[in-house]
Amino acid sequence: MTAHWLVKSEPDAFSWEQQMAVGVEPWTGVRNAQAAKNLRAMRLGDLAFFYHSNEGREIVGIVEVAREAYPDPTEETGRWACVDMRALRPVPRPVTLAAMKAEPRLQDLALIRQSRLSVVPVSPEHWAILSEMAGL
């Protein structure tokens, strides 16, 4: 069964446009233990919303796990992991953080409850709600 996630990136560091241009890209630089645990739990074919943090604060696309967790090449200790993400498609309507917070059915969404985590799980129910909001 496919699991669902939300991954955050600051658009000035790595944007949706860059993800689309490269197609498959390692999701590196995660340095939070819980977020890294979430990366390690990802399986090939899992889907994730691509979320622009800081600027925009909105879901802008969907990516797919193209390679399961392996040591993050951007650090030397081997403690941290990354996965490869494949760009699938932009969302027809970006979903802002404000819109998510305004939707009562999303009150338990990990993005809202644990706003500092860069990789969070998304339940099937929340995935369906967010997909509807995004026009999918």
Side-chain angles (χ1 to χ4, degrees):
M1 182 173 175
T2 302
H4 298 100
W5 307 90
L6 183 141
V7 293
K8 294 164 55 174
S9 182
E10 296 178 18
D12 61 345
F14 187 70
S15 69
W16 172 248
E17 290 75 19
Q18 289 170 296
Q19 176 73 62
M20 288 290 291
V22 297
V24 176
E25 180 75 7
W27 201 266
T28 60
V30 173
R31 301 295 185 267
N32 172 282
Q34 182 61 48
K37 181 179 176 183
N38 291 337
L39 281 177
R40 287 185 189 95
M42 291 179 170
R43 296 295 169 248
L44 198 63
D46 281 358
L47 300 176
F49 287 120
F50 189 111
Y51 177 88
H52 275 165
S53 60
N54 292 348
E55 284 180 41
R57 294 185 180 181
E58 60 189 1
I59 292 171
V60 292
I62 297 177
V63 292
E64 173 184 48
V65 176
R67 180 179 174 191
E68 293 182 11
Y70 61 96
D72 185 332
T74 66
E75 66 90 35
E76 298 172 3
T77 68
R79 175 179 178 201
W80 303 106
C82 68
V83 299
D84 287 356
M85 293 290 194
R86 175 181 296 112
L88 292 183
R89 63 184 171 274
V91 296
R93 290 189 308 265
V95 181
T96 65
L97 180 60
M100 289 180 242
K101 287 182 174 182
E103 172 54 67
R105 298 175 296 167
L106 295 175
Q107 68 181 1
D108 292 331
L109 181 67
L111 174 67
I112 295 169
R113 289 186 299 105
Q114 299 171 299
S115 62
R116 296 188 56 83
L117 286 182
S118 60
V119 180
V120 295
V122 176
S123 72
E125 296 79 18
H126 289 156
W127 184 268
I129 295 164
L130 291 166
S131 293
E132 179 184 314
M133 292 172 73
L136 298 170

